[in-house]
Amino acid sequence: MDISTLLGILIGFGALIVGFILEGGHVSSLFLLPPAIIVFGGTFGAVFASFPLKEMKKLSTWLKIAFTDKSYGTLEAYETLIRFAEKARREGLLSLEQELEEVEDRFTRQGMQLVIDGTDPDITREILESNIAVMEKRHKVGISVFEAAGGYSPTLGIIGTVMGLVHVLGNLTDPDSLSKSIAGAFLATLYGVAFANLLYLPIATKLKQKDKIEVASMEMIMDGILSIQAGENPSILKEKLKTHLGNIMEPANSRNE
C-alpha cells in the first residue's frame, strides 16, 4: 500500500469533517443522496463519454497503481548492468546470453538481447526509446482520466446546486423546509469541489510522479545498455549510471505487468 496516497486523502477529508464539526455542524447533514447522485453520477458519465470503453476498463488498474507502493527495480537494474559490463569486457558480449534468462525485467532483457544479436546501436536506441514512449503514452491516458474527473466534478457540483435552488424557488410557499433545501443544494458544490481537489486531482498527480520515476529508471537502463554495446569501461559506466539514480534508487522489483 502506498501510505502517502491513502493518508493524504484521509487527512484531507478528515480535516473538512473535523472543521465542520467544530463549527457546530452535524456529520449526518453532509450526506444526502440527491446531490451525490448528480455530482458523482454526472462526473462518471462525463468521464465515461470522454474516453474509449477499452480505456475505461483499466480504471481499477490505475487506482491500484496510485494506491500501491510499487518498486521499479532501479537498483537491481543498476547492479545487473554493472555485472554485465564487467563480464562483457572480460569474455565478450556473447557470454551474456546465458545470463539473460535470469533477468526478470523485460526492458533490460530486450535491450541486452538486441546488443548480443549485434543490432546497430542507432536501431537499438530507437527501439528502446520507442518502448519508453509507448509506456508514457499508456500512462498519460490514466492521468488524463483523473484530470478530466477533477475538471468535471466542480462543474457538476455547480449544476447540482443550481438544480437544488430551482427546486427551492419553486417551493417558497413552504418556509419550514426552505433552509434544509438550500443546505442540500449547496452540498452538491461541496461534493464537486472537495472530491476534485482531495481525490481526483491528487490521484492524477500521483500517477504523474510514478510515471516520471519509471521513465527515469528506463532511461538509466537504456544508457547502460548502449554503453555496454559501445564497450565502455565498467568503472566509467558505473559513474554514468549513478547520475541517473538520485532519488529513484530503491529495492529491486520487476516492471513486468
Side-chain angles (χ1 to χ4, degrees):
M1 176 66 70
D2 189 334
I3 299 299
S4 66
T5 305
L6 182 61
L7 188 61
I9 291 173
L10 291 176
I11 290 174
F13 280 104
L16 292 183
I17 294 174
V18 171
F20 182 73
I21 293 173
L22 291 177
E23 289 182 345
H26 298 283
V27 176
S28 59
S29 63
L30 291 176
F31 302 97
L32 284 179
L33 187 58
I37 292 175
I38 293 172
V39 175
F40 301 130
T43 300
F44 180 79
V47 172
F48 205 86
S50 301
F51 297 88
L53 178 60
K54 66 177 182 179
E55 299 294 351
M56 292 303 297
K57 289 180 179 179
K58 301 174 184 176
L59 182 61
S60 60
T61 301
W62 298 325
L63 287 171
K64 182 180 178 181
I65 292 172
F67 285 92
T68 302
D69 190 11
K70 179 183 176 183
S71 175
Y72 300 101
T74 306
L75 183 56
E76 181 185 49
Y78 169 81
E79 294 173 346
T80 298
L81 291 169
I82 297 301
R83 188 176 75 253
F84 280 3
E86 292 172 347
K87 186 168 184 178
R89 191 170 182 83
R90 293 193 311 266
E91 305 173 27
L93 290 173
L94 292 178
S95 65
L96 301 176
E97 190 160 18
Q98 293 182 345
E99 294 201 28
L100 283 185
E101 297 178 0
E102 301 176 4
V103 178
E104 295 182 1
D105 184 73
R106 185 169 49 196
F107 184 72
T108 304
R109 190 168 60 247
Q110 179 190 21
M112 287 307 305
Q113 188 63 62
L114 290 171
V115 172
I116 293 169
D117 291 342
T119 307
D120 183 88
D122 291 335
I123 296 177
T124 300
R125 176 183 289 275
E126 183 178 339
I127 293 174
L128 296 179
E129 287 180 342
S130 178
N131 282 336
I132 296 174
V134 169
M135 184 201 70
E136 284 188 284
K137 185 177 181 181
R138 186 176 69 248
H139 288 180
K140 283 180 181 178
V141 176
I143 294 168
S144 298
V145 165
F146 286 97
E147 285 182 335
Y152 293 136
S153 184
T155 304
L156 266 298
I158 294 173
I159 292 174
T161 297
V162 172
M163 292 174 65
L165 292 177
V166 168
H167 174 70
V168 169
L169 294 174
N171 293 274
L172 292 177
T173 54
D174 185 10
D176 293 334
S177 63
L178 193 60
S179 59
K180 184 177 180 181
S181 298
I182 293 175
F186 280 101
L187 267 182
T189 298
L190 174 63
Y191 289 163
V193 175
F195 276 82
N197 290 280
L198 295 178
L199 184 65
Y200 306 137
L201 295 179
I203 288 178
T205 302
K206 178 55 69 76
L207 292 176
K208 284 181 182 179
Q209 294 302 315
K210 293 194 172 186
D211 172 67
K212 289 180 180 179
I213 293 173
E214 189 161 7
V215 168
S217 175
M218 294 176 76
E219 288 178 343
M220 183 201 75
I221 293 170
M222 180 179 68
D223 277 0
I225 289 171
L226 294 173
S227 296
I228 293 173
Q229 188 174 31
E232 289 187 3
N233 188 296
S235 60
I236 296 177
L237 173 61
K238 184 181 295 185
E239 295 303 317
K240 180 185 291 187
L241 295 185
K242 282 182 179 178
T243 63
H244 285 277
L245 288 177
N247 294 326
I248 65 173
M249 181 179 285
E250 55 191 3
N253 200 348
S254 65
R255 188 180 293 101
N256 303 304
E257 298 182 17

